Each structure stands twice: as C-alpha cells, then as structure tokens.
Amino acid sequence: MGFFIFSTLLQLIYFTSAEQVSVVLDPNFSLSWQIAGDSITFGFNCSFDGWCGIGFYGSMKQTDMIILIRQNGNFDAWDMYSTSHGTPPQDSAKGKGCRDDVNLTSSSFNNGRMLGSISRLLNTGDTLCDWVIKPGEAINFCFAYKQKSNIQKFQEHSTYGEGVLLIGLNQTSSYFLPSSSFGSEYEDHGNEMTVMWLCLAPLCIMLIRYLKWTYLAFYGHMLLGYVVLGFTCGSVYEIYKKDELAYNDLSDNKRYHSRIGFILCAFVIAQAITGAMTKMWMLFKEDLSILRVCRRVHMALGWCALIPGLINLKYGWDIKGDDTAKNAVFACYAILVVLLALLEIRHRFSHKIRILQWNFKLKRLNKAKPALEKSLMDQMGSTHTEILNDIVSKNLSCVFYDEYLLNVSGFIQNHPGGAYMIRKVIGEDVGKYINGCSSISGFIASYDHSRPAKNLINSLIIDRVAYTAGVLTKKSSDQSLDYGNMTWELVRKYNIAEGTFYIELTSKDWAVENPPKGFEWLGKHFGVRERIGKSEVIRYYSLMMTDLHHWAREARKEGFQITKKIYKKSKSPDTLKLHIKRYDNGLMSRHLCDLEPGSEYKLKGPLGPGLGFSSAPAGICTGFAAGTGILPFLDLVYMIWNGSVSSDFCLYLYVTFRSKKDSFALDLLEATQKKSGKALNLHINLDEERVGGKLTEEKLKEWVKIPNISRAWVCGPSGFNRWIESMLTSQGLQRNKLMIL
Ligand SMILES: *[C@@H]1O[C@H](CO)[C@@H](O)[C@H](O)[C@H]1NC(C)=O
Ligand SMILES: *[C@@H]1O[C@H](CO)[C@@H](O)[C@H](O)[C@H]1NC(C)=O
Ligand SMILES: *[C@@H]1O[C@H](CO)[C@@H](O)[C@H](O)[C@H]1NC(C)=O
Ligand SMILES: *[C@@H]1O[C@H](CO)[C@@H](O)[C@H](O)[C@H]1NC(C)=O
Ligand SMILES: *[C@@H]1O[C@H](CO)[C@@H](O)[C@H](O)[C@H]1NC(C)=O
Ligand SMILES: *[C@@H]1O[C@H](CO)[C@@H](O)[C@H](O)[C@H]1NC(C)=O
Ligand SMILES: *[C@@H]1O[C@H](CO)[C@@H](O)[C@H](O)[C@H]1NC(C)=O
Ligand SMILES: *[C@@H]1O[C@H](CO)[C@@H](O)[C@H](O)[C@H]1NC(C)=O
Ligand SMILES: *[C@@H]1O[C@H](CO)[C@@H](O)[C@H](O)[C@H]1NC(C)=O
C-alpha cells in the first residue's frame, strides 16, 4: 500500500513537471507536446492555411491520426484511424464503438500561420481506433499537410513525410528522425532502372539480334535479361511495398509511371518465360511451328518492353524533378536510337554498303584473291574434300557455303530455326537451304532466307575453299576471269525427258576437260545466279560430265538395247551440260528453260563437297535419287561402266521417278548393272507404272547391310531427302556418313 502511494506520488510529480517539447517535422510544420498526468497536449504549428496532421505507428495503414483543420475560418480537431490509402473517416463516423477522443483546446490563425493545441489521453481506451501513446518509445510516425486557403473539404495531402519519433518528457530525450530510406529509396530505384533500361535492356536486344553467330550473344542475352528482370521486379516491388499513396492520390506523372512500371514487370516476366521456351525449342526440339510462335512472341515482347521502359525513365526523372538527369537520359535516347539504327542498317543492307561489313577476315580473304589469281584453283585454299575430312575427323562445326567455309560453332545454338537444322548439315553445302532450293525442317516447302540472314553469313566466314580443279580451265591468261562469275552461252537445248531439259553451254573464256582429272569433282554442282524481276535468285544445278550420247553408243556396241532418240550428240566436246527440270512454279527453272540459244548463263563453280572422293571410289556406298537427283550419280555409274573404280567398290543405287516419261538414263544404268555384275546394285521405282516398288524400311534392310555402308548420299526433293534420312538413321547409319546433295 505504501509503495503504491509512493509511486503514484512520484508519477504525479514526474508528469506534472514534464516540460513542453517541440520538434521540427518540416520547415512548414513543427510539432510540440506536453504530457500532464495521463493526457498529452499536442501543439500544431503550421505555416499555412489548410490542414495538417500526424499519424502514429504506420504510414497509411493501421494508423491513428490527429488532424488540425481550418474550414471557413473555423478550426477543428479530428481523430481518425486510417486502414487504407483512401481518405480516412473520423472515428465517430466509423461506428463499431470508435469515438472521437481529441479535444481542441486552443487555436489561432495569425500571419497565415495555423496554431492549435489538441489534447487526448495517452490511452484513450478506444482499442479499435486509437493506439496507446507510450512516452519514451521510438515509434513509426508520419505527418502530412495540405496548403490551401478556404479549404471546404478534407483533401488529399500535398506534402507527406515519415520517420521515427520519440515522444519524450524533455527536449533532450525527444527527437524526430526523418526516415532515412525516404527519398533515397526512390533515388536508388531511379538509378537502377536507368541503368537497366537505358543500357542493359538495349544491350540485351542488340546482342541477340546483331551478334547471333557468337557464343556471347546467347549467354550475354540471357544473363542481361535475367539481371533486368530481377532488378526491375525487385525494385518495383520495393517501391510498391512502401505503400505510400492511393492510386487516386497520385499525380498524373506518378500514375503513368507506376502503371507502366507494373506492365513492364509483366512484360519482363513473360519475356523470361517465352525466352526459356524459345531456347528449349531451339536446342532440343525439332518443331518449327511452335518455335516460330515462341520466338516471335519473345521478340515482340522484347521491343514492347524496351520502349515503355525507356518512356518510363522520362516519367521517373520528371517526378524527381531532376532536369540534368532528364536531359542526360534524353541524350542517351538519341545515342541509343542512332546506335540501333546503325546496327539495323548493317543488319539489313550490309550486302549493299561494303563499309558496314566488318568481317576483317573476309576482307583479307577477298583482297588476297588477285595475287592468287594465276593459279586460283590450287592456291586459294584447301579443297572441299580435304576440309570435309578435317570436319569429320576433328569434329569441327563447319559448313560450306558456295566458295566459303563457315564456322557455325557459335551460331548453332542461336539459329532461329532451331539448332538441329545446323547440326544436320555439318559438312554439307548449305547454299541450297539458304537460297530456298531445299528444306531441312519438317516443312517440305523450302525457305529462302531473308536478306539480314544472308548478310549474317559474312560474319561466319572463316576461309575460302578452292574451286574444284580439273573440270574447267581458262582459255586465256586474263586475270579478271573468275570461277565465281563465269559467263556461258546457251548453244543447244532439248527435252531429254518430259519436263527435263538438256542444256548445252559454251564459253569463249572457259574450256571443259572431259573426262575431268581426278575424282574430286564427282557430285558437285554449279550455282546459277539470275536477276528475275526485282530479286536476285540463286539456284544450284548438278555437274554431270558424262556424255550420255557416247555412253549409249558404247552400250549399243556391247549389245544392250538403248533408246536411240533421246541421247543426242553434243555440239562439241568442249561444252558444259546441265540438266534442268522445269517446274511451272519454279522461278529460276522456268526462266532458264525458256531462254533461247544465244542467251547468257551466269555460273559459279564447281561448288560443294560433292560425293567427297579424293581417290578412286572404294567401299560400299549407297545413293538415293529422286527425279533429276540421279544426275550426281551418273558420272559414278559411268566410272563403273568404264572400270575406273576400285575393285572393292560397290554402289547401291535407289532411283525413283514419277513415271517412265519423266525418266532418263535408266537403260544406261541397267546396262551397267548387267555389265558390271556386283559393282552396281540398282533398285528402280516408277510410281505410275508401279515398277520396282517404293522403298520401305524392310526392303531397305533386305537390300543393303546398313552397318557396312561407308558413305550414303541422298539427292532429291526435300521431302524425299528427309524420308530417306530418317529411314537410314533409324536403322543405325551414323549421320556423318550421310550426305544430302
Ligand atoms: C513551405 O511552404 C511554402 C509556401 O507556404 C512553400 O513554398 C515551401 O515549399 C514549403 N516548404 C516545404 C518544405 O514544403
Ligand atoms: C511556430 O513556428 C515558427 C517557426 O518555426 C516559430 O517562429 C513560432 O514561434 C512558432 N510558434 C509557436 C506558438 O510555437
Ligand atoms: C475532452 O473534453 C471532454 C468534455 O468536453 C472532457 O470530458 C474530456 O476529459 C476532455 N479530454 C481531455 C483529454 O482533455
Ligand atoms: C530527460 O528524460 C530522460 C528520461 O526520459 C532522463 O533520463 C533525462 O535525465 C532527462 N533530461 C533532463 C535534462 O531532464
Ligand atoms: C562433336 O562435337 C559435338 C559438339 O560440337 C559434340 O556434341 C559431340 O559429342 C562431338 N562428337 C565427338 C565424336 O567428339
Ligand atoms: C569456330 O569458332 C569457335 C568459337 O569462336 C572456335 O573455338 C573454333 O576454334 C572455331 N573453329 C574453327 C575451325 O575455326
Ligand atoms: C561478273 O563479270 C561481269 C563481266 O563478265 C562483270 O560485269 C560483273 O561486274 C562481274 N560481277 C561480279 C559480281 O564480279
Ligand atoms: C574410260 O576408260 C578408258 C580406259 O580405261 C579411258 O581412257 C577413258 O578416259 C575413260 N573414259 C572416261 C570418260 O572415264
Ligand atoms: C558386312 O558386315 C558384316 C558384319 O556386320 C560382315 O560379316 C560382312 O562381311 C560385311 N560385308 C561386306 C561386303 O563387307
């Protein structure tokens, strides 16, 4: 009992002796208080007309507020409890037992300054709508005010602040510490986002769009993408968590900024998902249609994120009111636009604007050409066959593209059509795929690559490959003659089969060696370039040196039945022969077949790894030919006929034509099979006549022992090539033994 009286007495003395304490919340608002007994009297000192208020233990949510307001010249004190960002109601209006527990004890308005004393109990007993004020404890505290004369209605605050307040009994023990994170958090957010969206995001896009052939492109793209994702979402979340103002309370700039920010987060998250999907399909699947959708969505989202991202920077720096920073951002926009424009121009037009090609290796290779002109064939580099052997033995990721060798090791994983397409063509000549003559995807229709895709090839070139020696020789020592740009004149054309034209060409510059020396030339092709309409079209036609007329005569001499009419005598031994199937919807074949004698052909070649022989053919080989796909094999079969192959050489040849009318040279093949015995093993199929029968997996297995095959070639339309390829590989043929011509 004695102790109770003593402590009550002590408290009384203590409290009554508490002094008036004041703190400055902001230059326009100072707060004072005096604790007496169990009540506290706050002094509001606001240098304006309108309202000013304080809040305990929070910022907007679950915050107990006391407001001094001057409406129509009359002061009022309100007790409020805020649960959200909306305008809070007064406690008494809230019901549920909430009461207004503050009294305005004095007020004045002098020289535009509002002064008011508001008292309440430290513990009002209103547990729902008031917090207990505990002197001596540091608490989360906020204040806000609105400067406005003749305020009619409680309005959104114009200034807001928060921090830590200690309501002490004397001046020395009390303080207000403005929240240190307030402001600096926004500043960090601004700086982070500026770096992300002005530097990293554009870099991320540039890497994958303009540097596709490098390893860096993908890894850099992914890394930067995730950094941008992480920082953007993290930073936006931090700001969101601060939970400061209601949407309605935001200024326009802030409103746009915040909504664009949220949309950006959605975009970058979607980016990460579509990016991962795209990559998965690129690397592991063989489904072009899904890949295409993923990739396009990813690309569209990428640009859709970058542009609002950049716009949001402007709003951000607008809000901060930092004009220097904003101008710097504008300057960066300009630099970025110029850089992107340059890269895009290079991407699209580097074939026209030479200075934009910065493959120094290619420049050196091209420059070196004139010096080597004298003996172009031998000195210009290794031959296709030598390089092909290297590719196979050293497991190099290289492909041929006309007279160039491309290093696709970095490009494989970024090939927009999927990695499998490149993996399948390692060691092949990819000209036919790039220029839309053949297709490697599940789609039968071939895909003529876009101009930017073709421009990109310049960056992949690592070497020049020699044109095959022994087929064509120069008639003069003219330095400017170039195998890459030969002009030939059409001297004769006739139908060798329905729809297939025999085209005979002669040149004043080039002599034809017949038979050519060596074996390298077998199965190669010529590139034909023509400007048709507005576009330049490139197509590839097989090299076939054997004179069918001569062969037929030899065969007849040996007693074989050979149709007389179709193999006509050539105009001269010094002519080049092409056999071209005329497709009604084929731009180039129609053009070439409809040219009249005397017209010019622009040829390049011979190109490609061909059948890949550097010495007399040996071992067990298989060829699969559909239609004019038979051409690359005819020279080989004639070698069998003529006995210029090794004794252990054996060719299994599957030939398919739609009908007898379309076919040619079948009688020569059959004669060779009869003459040579084991060296040629034919399987002929004529669809319409139902001769021979289509190949099936069973028939194939019976016909040839797959593990014994040392080389296999397929030459036909894309669908045929894919079908044979899958049949052979599913039966265990190693992919690198198979060559698609
Ligand atoms: C204080 O109020 C004056 C006008 O009354 C205003 O110009 C000034 O910006 C205010 N200061 C702060 C820190 O808000
Ligand atoms: C209100 O604040 C101003 C400026 O801080 C000060 O000059 C003035 O004395 C204060 N008035 C009262 C009654 O505390
Ligand atoms: C506020 O005023 C009411 C009556 O006007 C009084 O009963 C109450 O004690 C006062 N509260 C304080 C904290 O002064
Ligand atoms: C202020 O109050 C604190 C306790 O709240 C006390 O420790 C301190 O001595 C007081 N200072 C003065 C100058 O009275
Ligand atoms: C060849 O290289 C590829 C990747 O470039 C690799 O996956 C494969 O295992 C290699 N093969 C051999 C036989 O080394
Ligand atoms: C191809 O490029 C990769 C990476 O740039 C390199 O490691 C490799 O040696 C290159 N291959 C050839 C044959 O140049
Ligand atoms: C090809 O040769 C012709 C002359 O025969 C020449 O006019 C043309 O510029 C050459 N084209 C290229 C790409 O070298
Ligand atoms: C055929 O063989 C003979 C002798 O074996 C040879 O002289 C001739 O050049 C060969 N013809 C062809 C086209 O290979
Ligand atoms: C084909 O391979 C088998 C073993 O798989 C072997 O016994 C046979 O002699 C080979 N045939 C030829 C012609 O090489």
Side-chain angles (χ1 to χ4, degrees):
M1 191 65 175
F3 171 74
F4 176 73
I5 293 169
F6 175 73
S7 70
T8 314
L9 206 69
L10 197 75
Q11 266 188 12
L12 261 174
I13 297 163
Y14 197 58
F15 285 143
T16 44
S17 68
E19 57 183 86
Q20 164 127 359
V21 177
S22 84
V23 292
V24 175
L25 299 176
D26 140 301
N28 289 338
F29 187 2
S30 14
L31 180 72
S32 61
W33 60 83
Q34 188 163 27
I35 296 169
D38 54 359
S39 68
I40 181 166
T41 304
F42 288 106
F44 285 60
N45 181 350
C46 307
S47 71
F48 47 81
D49 194 5
W51 67 261
C52 43
I54 56 174
F56 306 106
Y57 297 1
S59 51
M60 281 301 276
K61 290 188 175 172
Q62 319 308 343
T63 301
D64 184 7
M65 296 174 170
I66 299 171
I67 312 284
L68 173 72
I69 185 165
R70 184 170 175 268
Q71 282 174 305
N72 303 320
N74 302 319
F75 276 99
D76 205 352
W78 290 344
D79 188 6
M80 290 175 151
Y81 190 78
S82 168
T83 51
S84 72
H85 279 298
T87 308
Q90 279 180 257
D91 285 0
S92 55
K94 209 165 177 147
K96 296 186 200 159
C98 289
R99 299 180 311 260
D100 290 339
D101 294 300
V102 297
N103 292 347
L104 183 66
T105 52
S106 73
S107 60
S108 68
F109 186 68
N110 275 325
N111 301 329
R113 185 176 285 278
M114 294 198 296
L115 293 174
S117 297
I118 300 174
S119 62
R120 64 162 262 188
L121 293 173
L122 289 172
N123 181 359
T124 61
D126 183 347
T127 50
L128 277 174
C129 292
D130 286 323
W131 290 112
V132 175
I133 296 174
K134 293 174 187 157
E137 259 179 41
I139 54 165
N140 282 326
F141 173 84
C142 66
F143 68 90
Y145 54 80
K146 172 86 183 170
Q147 306 189 15
K148 189 171 199 265
S149 324
N150 295 324
I151 197 165
Q152 298 298 322
K153 182 169 146 266
F154 187 55
Q155 276 181 342
E156 173 210 329
H157 52 75
S158 53
T159 302
Y160 171 90
E162 62 183 306
V164 172
L165 179 72
L166 195 144
I167 300 181
L169 296 172
N170 56 39
Q171 190 67 49
T172 38
S173 66
S174 306
Y175 61 83
F176 173 66
L177 199 67
S179 174
S180 64
S181 59
F182 181 71
S184 85
E185 243 169 54
Y186 288 107
E187 188 133 9
D188 287 350
H189 171 74
N191 291 336
E192 273 171 19
M193 292 302 97
T194 304
V195 172
M196 291 302 134
W197 290 93
L198 208 49
C199 309
L200 300 195
L203 193 60
C204 181
I205 288 181
M206 284 175 200
L207 275 180
I208 202 68
R209 186 168 173 82
Y210 305 117
L211 292 176
K212 269 199 193 71
W213 66 91
T214 58
Y215 282 100
L216 178 72
F218 166 59
Y219 292 109
H221 177 77
M222 185 176 71
L223 192 75
L224 290 178
Y226 281 121
V227 168
V228 171
L229 166 74
F231 273 89
T232 302
C233 290
S235 189
V236 166
Y237 176 68
E238 283 300 315
I239 299 301
Y240 175 72
K241 210 172 60 176
K242 284 177 65 68
D243 215 7
E244 221 145 69
L245 295 173
Y247 179 64
N248 292 331
D249 297 343
L250 295 174
S251 63
D252 275 354
N253 271 353
K254 282 188 185 163
R255 208 177 292 184
Y256 297 144
H257 183 75
S258 108
R259 296 309 114 156
I260 292 176
F262 288 133
I263 291 169
L264 271 186
C265 284
F267 274 156
V268 288
I269 292 169
Q271 268 306 74
I273 295 169
T274 53
M277 278 173 69
T278 305
K279 204 72 221 172
M280 211 173 76
W281 255 268
M282 263 187 193
L283 290 181
F284 306 114
K285 306 266 174 159
E286 298 194 2
D287 187 332
L288 190 57
S289 34
I290 295 181
L291 172 60
R292 236 183 226 170
V293 173
C294 288
R295 196 164 50 83
R296 294 209 173 135
V297 171
H298 185 70
M299 194 173 102
L301 281 178
W303 290 110
C304 285
L306 181 66
I307 291 163
L310 291 174
I311 292 172
N312 226 18
L313 291 182
K314 175 198 166 285
Y315 282 122
W317 289 108
D318 258 352
I319 291 167
K320 175 135 197 283
D322 187 340
D323 281 343
T324 330
K326 203 168 85 182
N327 290 337
V329 166
F330 281 144
C332 289
Y333 281 179
I335 293 171
L336 196 59
V337 167
V338 169
L339 192 61
L340 277 171
L342 275 178
L343 284 167
E344 191 64 29
I345 289 170
R346 173 180 136 84
H347 186 58
R348 292 182 181 277
F349 303 111
S350 67
H351 61 292
K352 288 204 180 129
I353 311 169
R354 296 264 149 187
I355 39 168
L356 290 178
Q357 295 174 3
W358 53 72
N359 184 344
F360 301 109
K361 183 141 201 170
L362 176 61
K363 281 205 177 128
R364 215 177 51 229
L365 287 169
N366 281 338
K367 217 177 229 150
K369 213 173 60 174
L372 297 171
E373 195 70 29
K374 263 182 275 157
S375 181
L376 197 63
M377 292 279 190
D378 326 311
Q379 286 184 24
M380 210 169 52
S382 310
T383 64
H384 281 87
T385 313
E386 284 163 6
I387 294 174
L388 184 60
N389 289 340
D390 261 11
I391 292 176
V392 174
S393 64
K394 296 186 190 151
N395 194 19
L396 303 179
S397 297
C398 291
V399 299
F400 298 104
Y401 177 54
D402 291 359
E403 70 270 39
Y404 294 111
L405 180 68
L406 315 183
N407 180 355
V408 292
S409 64
F411 183 61
I412 287 182
Q413 46 169 353
N414 296 331
H415 180 235
Y420 74 98
M421 290 195 194
I422 308 275
R423 285 198 203 109
K424 278 187 179 176
V425 300
I426 295 296
E428 281 184 27
D429 188 304
V430 294
K432 54 187 179 290
Y433 303 119
I434 288 167
N435 291 306
C437 318
S438 188
S439 145
I440 188 108
S441 70
F443 292 118
I444 302 301
S446 46
Y447 173 65
D448 191 1
H449 282 64
S450 63
R451 195 65 245 183
K454 288 178 187 169
N455 289 342
L456 183 147
I457 292 169
N458 280 331
S459 309
L460 297 172
I461 294 173
I462 53 167
D463 207 353
R464 280 182 82 116
V465 187
Y467 290 101
T468 313
V471 179
L472 304 177
T473 47
K474 290 182 187 182
K475 282 182 179 165
S476 67
S477 57
D478 183 352
Q479 293 282 310
S480 68
L481 289 179
D482 181 356
Y483 289 87
N485 182 19
M486 301 185 290
T487 307
W488 291 76
E489 191 191 324
L490 176 66
V491 288
R492 167 176 220 175
K493 72 167 183 181
Y494 71 87
N495 272 93
I496 192 166
E498 186 159 295
T500 303
F501 282 81
Y502 166 95
I503 306 273
E504 206 174 318
L505 304 167
T506 180
S507 169
K508 60 183 190 335
D509 301 321
W510 302 92
V512 181
E513 297 231 9
N514 210 350
K517 292 187 206 73
F519 299 90
E520 283 251 5
W521 56 276
L522 281 166
K524 297 206 181 241
H525 55 257
F526 285 104
V528 182
R529 187 202 320 260
E530 282 292 338
R531 181 156 283 284
I532 302 175
K534 271 191 190 150
S535 50
E536 182 168 80
V537 184
I538 297 172
R539 289 289 179 268
Y540 299 96
Y541 293 102
S542 293
L543 166 77
M544 210 275 280
M545 298 303 289
T546 302
D547 187 335
L548 295 181
H549 171 78
H550 178 74
W551 186 357
R553 222 176 43 197
E554 282 181 1
R556 262 183 238 116
K557 243 186 254 165
E558 298 200 16
F560 292 103
Q561 287 284 319
I562 307 291
T563 327
K564 215 166 185 142
K565 282 183 296 217
I566 62 170
Y567 309 113
K568 295 190 182 157
K569 193 167 173 8
S570 56
K571 289 263 186 198
S572 108
D574 190 26
T575 53
L576 198 60
K577 289 111 190 161
L578 296 180
H579 297 74
I580 301 179
K581 172 110 183 157
R582 185 184 187 282
Y583 296 97
D584 286 337
N585 55 357
L587 216 52
M588 179 67 109
S589 70
R590 226 174 40 200
H591 173 82
L592 290 183
C593 292
D594 295 351
L595 286 177
E596 290 306 320
S599 314
E600 272 188 2
Y601 270 52
K602 286 255 180 273
L603 297 191
K604 168 175 173 173
L607 298 168
L611 302 185
F613 285 114
S614 47
S615 55
I620 297 178
C621 300
T622 50
F624 299 84
T628 46
I630 193 177
L631 291 164
F633 301 109
L634 286 178
D635 289 322
L636 192 57
V637 175
Y638 183 67
M639 279 186 179
I640 296 175
W641 169 269
N642 205 25
S644 8
V645 293
S646 307
S647 56
D648 71 337
F649 179 71
C650 173
L651 177 67
Y652 287 80
L653 187 61
Y654 173 73
V655 181
T656 178
F657 278 100
R658 203 169 40 164
S659 66
K660 188 137 186 70
K661 300 198 299 289
D662 288 349
S663 72
F664 60 94
L666 292 183
D667 41 8
L668 296 173
L669 295 183
E670 277 164 346
T672 309
Q673 174 165 245
K674 281 195 194 113
K675 180 183 169 189
S676 72
K678 284 213 314 278
L680 180 64
N681 204 322
L682 281 178
H683 187 313
I684 294 174
N685 169 54
L686 298 174
D687 281 341
E688 279 178 14
E689 285 83 5
R690 299 181 188 283
V691 172
K694 242 195 169 80
L695 206 59
T696 59
E697 292 218 9
E698 282 69 41
K699 277 192 199 166
L700 178 65
K701 234 184 279 181
E702 260 173 51
W703 185 47
V704 56
K705 297 265 166 297
I706 303 281
N708 292 19
I709 294 176
S710 57
R711 289 160 199 257
W713 307 282
V714 188
C715 188
S718 311
F720 175 80
N721 296 351
R722 298 276 79 78
W723 170 59
I724 296 287
E725 181 199 357
S726 70
M727 216 153 53
L728 287 173
T729 46
S730 74
Q731 293 198 22
L733 184 80
Q734 284 159 283
R735 186 57 180 80
N736 65 11
K737 286 185 178 174
L738 177 65
M739 191 69 104
I740 292 178
L741 298 175

Short mmCIF file of all heavy atoms in Angstrom, two decimals, residues 620 705 707-708, ligand 9:
data_model
loop_
_atom_site.label_atom_id
_atom_site.label_comp_id
_atom_site.label_asym_id
_atom_site.label_seq_id
_atom_site.Cartn_x
_atom_site.Cartn_y
_atom_site.Cartn_z
N ILE A 620 31.61 -49.75 -99.78
CA ILE A 620 30.19 -49.90 -100.10
C ILE A 620 29.51 -48.55 -99.95
O ILE A 620 29.53 -47.95 -98.87
CB ILE A 620 29.53 -50.93 -99.17
CG1 ILE A 620 30.19 -52.31 -99.40
CG2 ILE A 620 28.04 -51.00 -99.41
CD1 ILE A 620 29.65 -53.38 -98.52
N LYS A 705 23.18 -53.94 -96.39
CA LYS A 705 23.54 -54.07 -94.96
C LYS A 705 23.98 -52.70 -94.46
O LYS A 705 25.06 -52.23 -94.78
CB LYS A 705 24.70 -55.06 -94.80
CG LYS A 705 24.36 -56.47 -95.25
CD LYS A 705 23.91 -57.32 -94.07
CE LYS A 705 23.24 -58.61 -94.51
NZ LYS A 705 22.00 -58.46 -95.28
N PRO A 707 25.15 -51.45 -91.62
CA PRO A 707 26.43 -51.22 -90.93
C PRO A 707 27.63 -51.26 -91.87
O PRO A 707 28.68 -50.73 -91.54
CB PRO A 707 26.50 -52.38 -89.92
CG PRO A 707 25.13 -52.93 -89.85
CD PRO A 707 24.48 -52.67 -91.15
N ASN A 708 27.46 -51.89 -93.05
CA ASN A 708 28.59 -51.98 -93.97
C ASN A 708 28.76 -50.73 -94.84
O ASN A 708 29.76 -50.59 -95.51
CB ASN A 708 28.42 -53.18 -94.91
CG ASN A 708 28.53 -54.50 -94.17
OD1 ASN A 708 28.40 -54.53 -92.95
ND2 ASN A 708 28.78 -55.56 -94.87
C1 LIG B 9 29.16 -56.60 -93.81
O1 LIG B 9 29.26 -56.60 -92.42
C2 LIG B 9 29.20 -57.91 -91.84
C3 LIG B 9 29.23 -57.75 -90.36
O2 LIG B 9 28.32 -56.78 -89.97
C4 LIG B 9 30.38 -58.73 -92.35
O3 LIG B 9 30.31 -60.04 -91.83
C5 LIG B 9 30.33 -58.76 -93.86
O4 LIG B 9 31.48 -59.40 -94.37
C6 LIG B 9 30.30 -57.36 -94.43
N1 LIG B 9 30.13 -57.45 -95.87
C7 LIG B 9 30.90 -56.76 -96.69
C8 LIG B 9 30.59 -56.93 -98.12
O5 LIG B 9 31.78 -56.01 -96.28
#
